[in-house]
Amino acid sequence: MNLKKLSKILGLSQTTVSRALNGYPEVSEATRKKVQEVALAHHYIPNMRAKSLATGRSMAIGHVIPGSTRREIVNPVFADFISGAGEVYAQNDHDMLLSIVADSDEERTYRQLSAKASVDGVIVHGPRENDPRITLLKELGLPFVVHGRAGDNHGDYSWVDVNNRRSFERATEFLFDLGHRKIALINGLEFMDFAQRRKGGYLAAHRKHGRTPDPELMISEEMTEDVGYRRALDMLNRAAAPSAFLVSSMITAIGVRRAISDAGKKMGRDISVVIHDDELSYLPNGVDIPIFTATKSSVRQAGRLCAQMLLDIIREKDLTPRHILLESELTVGESTGAFQK
Amino acid sequence: MNLKKLSKILGLSQTTVSRALNGYPEVSEATRKKVQEVALAHHYIPNMRAKSLATGRSMAIGHVIPGSTRREIVNPVFADFISGAGEVYAQNDHDMLLSIVADSDEERTYRQLSAKASVDGVIVHGPRENDPRITLLKELGLPFVVHGRAGDNHGDYSWVDVNNRRSFERATEFLFDLGHRKIALINGLEFMDFAQRRKGGYLAAHRKHGRTPDPELMISEEMTEDVGYRRALDMLNRAAAPSAFLVSSMITAIGVRRAISDAGKKMGRDISVVIHDDELSYLPNGVDIPIFTATKSSVRQAGRLCAQMLLDIIREKDLTPRHILLESELTVGESTGAFQK
DNA sequence: GTGAAAGCGCTAACAT
DNA sequence: ATGTTAGCGCTTTCAC
């Protein structure tokens, strides 16, 4: 079923039918009603290919995921984020276009996306410090929102981010308050913006408490379980072993947890783990292990906010940058009352 | 830059330019060369909206992910699968359209996807027994490939699947050979096709060895870490505790592993864990824990194969069903030499 | 309030 | 080997 046939059936012109369906005011309520009925009865759904061409809008948003090299993104966070964004798109009748792309073709991908006109805007994932993609997107005039930030000495642009710095500062202080003195930081790769900010918070807390952090206790690597396990085990077997861990990802924390158990330590007041990601949908939250989460802003919510912001930008045709900084809450697993201050 | 301008610059008709760029044979090599040069110089990339409308092909594949209710799919398997499929699309100049959709509007989503003509075909994720989506897609005439199968007493359709039955049969026999007699099966939800097949393999091995499986050692639940932990702990605390676990997902296996450790058992000849998913990109494979993987066919590879099959179906306009059954290999983590037969 | 006609940027049938 | 013309299915002037 298409417009032509439908208008024939109704004995009206394509124009009128189109107007009736798209809520234009100049059509009489009587005909509008009639048109809507018949359209529904015949399962009429406008062909997007034609609609896009005519309106110049694709009603689709692109998500470009750096593929092979950095695995940061083929991780659970991604699934939750996408799922939140997808929710918003569904409500607003938009599609989501996903490009998994080798780091080397990223530039080409964006240029293509823009020239092919298959999306109205893009979400940028996993920004690095001084990310070249941002300059490129501005140059292309393609609306975009960044999940996270890409350093500060960059021109302004729209982003949604968690207050990583403050979140880790408070988590560190929390551990200090519990009596911990040697706190390990298991962080993500250094060129990731969030890793820098988290480290900043960790260091700030140390300064504030007049303590110098042990460089051996700070590592920046890929956020896999394996890394968490090995590095935590190494640290626990040192003379100056840490009594607490600050971990940048739930996945890594699983490895850390296992290391603690293998090292024969018991998690408790003496060994604590504070992680960052929370509310990932397939991992336990609040089960009976002493894990603290440093944020309460879920990844899924970030996905929703990014999507909504981008849709607003496109609708209002206003490219002036907007920002959302999600403040975090320090939450403690339910069975860990003993660790509350 | 568009065709019109480009052809004006070249002093040729749009038709010739289009033909030159799309590799039609009737254009002279001289002009083709010239056209390609100028097109490249001017960064000409054809507008997909227009191209789609003219050709009737979107050059896009839809992936419909059941969203909220069943979390089976917002899991790491999904990310790896998608990433494999995305690779193939990129190579073939196709886009991937992702719809995260509430189970209740799945039907509507497929109808829309078909009517809006925004995709040339779809991949069906997480099939259940007698899945209604398959009938619907056939009725719509939209090409599709199923990742997994949806029961057997269903009409024929194209799928890519792992030999779940044989994989679990062999894994069970392997554990028997190691001397295990009480083997627990921690499986996915019962209405999932793969869970049925895996259970079938588990039972077949028992029959073959003349053993009756303990019903208390067989559970079917959501594949989360939490479930793995709780259920394994329960089992280990029973009088007739299992000495080995067959686990349907890596995530769940993490929970099982933790339970074993908490129950004060050591994994070794006496306690083994055999899981199914392998090569998930962010989880360790072959680290120094006694985990066996029952398949070697990676999820990412399944993604590639699904995508390639669908692309072939579309290109050849041949809807006759095709199947790929990936045979599994039982592999053993590298540091677990002690557990080899 | 409704309709006729032009056009979005491309491809494809039909000339030549 | 190249050009002319007519759509693809919709929206959007412009006229009535």
Side-chain angles (χ1 to χ4, degrees), chain A residues 13-82:
Chain A
S13 73
Q14 293 191 35
T15 316
T16 308
V17 178
S18 169
R19 282 199 275 239
L21 259 19
N22 289 306
Y24 281 67
E26 62 262 64
V27 85
S28 83
E29 273 315 308
T31 43
R32 189 193 303 282
K33 202 117 208 162
K34 181 79 183 156
V35 168
Q36 284 171 336
E37 269 170 24
V38 178
L40 207 64
H42 290 259
H43 296 115
Y44 171 70
I45 298 176
N47 181 317
M48 275 309 290
R49 293 171 184 154
K51 193 163 181 161
S52 295
L53 185 56
T55 57
R57 292 193 40 186
S58 309
M59 301 294 275
I61 303 297
H63 286 239
V64 182
I65 317 293
S68 36
T69 325
R70 272 170 299 131
R71 67 178 51 173
E72 305 273 350
I73 218 72
V74 181
N75 74 18
V77 170
F78 168 63
D80 271 306
F81 182 91
I82 282 293

Side-chain angles (χ1 to χ4, degrees), chain A residues 49 58 96 98 225 257, chain B residues 49 58 96 98 225 257:
Chain A
R49 293 171 184 154
S58 309
M96 173 160 69
L98 208 61
E225 183 190 351
R257 220 162 59 183
Chain B
R49 294 171 184 155
S58 308
M96 173 160 68
L98 208 62
E225 184 189 351
R257 222 161 60 184

Side-chain angles (χ1 to χ4, degrees), chain B residues 301-333:
Chain B
Q301 178 64 4
R304 285 195 204 97
L305 292 170
C306 273
Q308 193 58 64
M309 183 183 277
L310 185 52
L311 255 31
D312 289 345
I313 289 173
I314 292 168
R315 182 176 319 112
E316 299 163 19
K317 293 188 172 150
D318 176 12
L319 293 181
T320 54
R322 316 170 183 206
H323 318 117
I324 295 179
L325 186 55
L326 293 165
E327 281 308 328
S328 60
E329 255 178 65
L330 190 67
T331 61
V332 178

